[in-house]
Amino acid sequence: MKYSLRKTPSHLHLVYKYGEPGGGVIGRNISLAIEGPVLTLDIDLEANLRARNKSSTWYVSAMFLARNPHKLKSVQCPDNLVRSRLIRAWEQVTHPVLKLRLDLGGHGRFVYEVSPHSLFMGGVQLDVREFREEQEADVETMGAPATDSNPTRHHA
C-alpha cells in the first residue's frame, strides 16, 4: 500500500561521509510504500536537475548525489508533517525496516536502508545504514565517459 506524505516541495539536507561537503535539495512527491514490515520512503529529487542555473546549490547538490550515491551518510527533513506521518506508519508495523529511495530521474534511483531519528527542533533525520542498490542510472548524462556500444557510429 502506498501513501502520499507530502506533494508540495520540502527542503532536505544531505550529509556525506569522508568529510565531503553536504548540500540542500528540494524533495517533492514524498510517499511511503508499506509491504509487510518494509517501509519505503520515496522522494522525487528530479526537479533539482531541471534548474536553468547549473551553478545553483540545488543543482550542484543533486549532481553530487547522482555521482556519489555511496557516500551519503544521512538525510535531514525538517518537515513536521512528513515526520508525524512517518512515525504514525512506523508505529503500526511490527519490526519495521525503513528504506529510502531517492529518485533523480534519468540520473538514477538510489535505494538505502536507513534508521530514522526524530530531531529536537522537529523533522526527521534518516541515517544511512547501507547503500542497497542503484536503479536505472543514465551514466552518459552524468558527464562520465561514454562507452561506444555502436561500432558503426563515427565521431567527427
Side-chain angles (χ1 to χ4, degrees), residues 9-12 14 23-28 43-63 65 103-105 107:
S10 184
H11 183 267
L12 303 171
L14 308 177
V25 291
I26 297 294
R28 299 175 191 262
I43 304 176
D44 181 3
L45 302 177
E46 189 176 7
N48 295 284
L49 298 171
R50 288 191 225 122
R52 288 185 182 184
N53 179 3
K54 301 301 182 201
S55 62
S56 75
T57 57
W58 293 337
Y59 179 83
V60 170
S61 294
M63 285 304 296
L65 175 63
D103 184 357
L104 288 165
H107 291 278

Side-chain angles (χ1 to χ4, degrees), residues 32-44:
L32 184 67
I34 302 173
E35 294 178 23
V38 179
L39 295 105
T40 304
L41 184 63
D42 253 322
I43 304 176
D44 181 3

Side-chain angles (χ1 to χ4, degrees), residues 17-149:
K17 301 174 188 174
Y18 317 118
E20 298 284 349
V25 291
I26 297 294
R28 299 175 191 262
N29 298 323
I30 301 173
S31 63
L32 184 67
I34 302 173
E35 294 178 23
V38 179
L39 295 105
T40 304
L41 184 63
D42 253 322
I43 304 176
D44 181 3
L45 302 177
E46 189 176 7
N48 295 284
L49 298 171
R50 288 191 225 122
R52 288 185 182 184
N53 179 3
K54 301 301 182 201
S55 62
S56 75
T57 57
W58 293 337
Y59 179 83
V60 170
S61 294
M63 285 304 296
F64 186 84
L65 175 63
R67 291 184 181 121
N68 303 287
H70 61 284
K71 291 184 179 181
L72 187 65
K73 182 178 178 182
S74 68
V75 176
Q76 295 176 355
C77 179
D79 193 317
N80 280 322
L81 182 62
V82 170
R83 175 184 168 217
S84 64
R85 290 178 175 174
L86 183 60
I87 289 172
R88 192 175 314 130
W90 181 268
E91 290 173 344
Q92 293 176 1
V93 176
T94 306
H95 305 294
V97 174
L98 183 60
K99 291 184 180 180
L100 172 65
R101 183 181 304 128
L102 300 176
D103 184 357
L104 288 165
H107 291 278
R109 290 176 183 84
F110 308 106
V111 179
Y112 304 88
E113 188 172 322
V114 295
S115 56
H117 300 284
S118 292
L119 296 175
F120 178 71
M121 66 229 156
V124 67
Q125 176 172 316
L126 304 169
D127 292 330
V128 174
R129 292 174 41 192
E130 184 179 352
F131 176 51
R132 301 295 274 173
E133 61 185 291
E134 181 177 338
Q135 305 169 341
E136 299 178 27
D138 185 357
V139 178
E140 192 168 333
T141 61
M142 293 192 312
T147 57
D148 193 358
S149 60

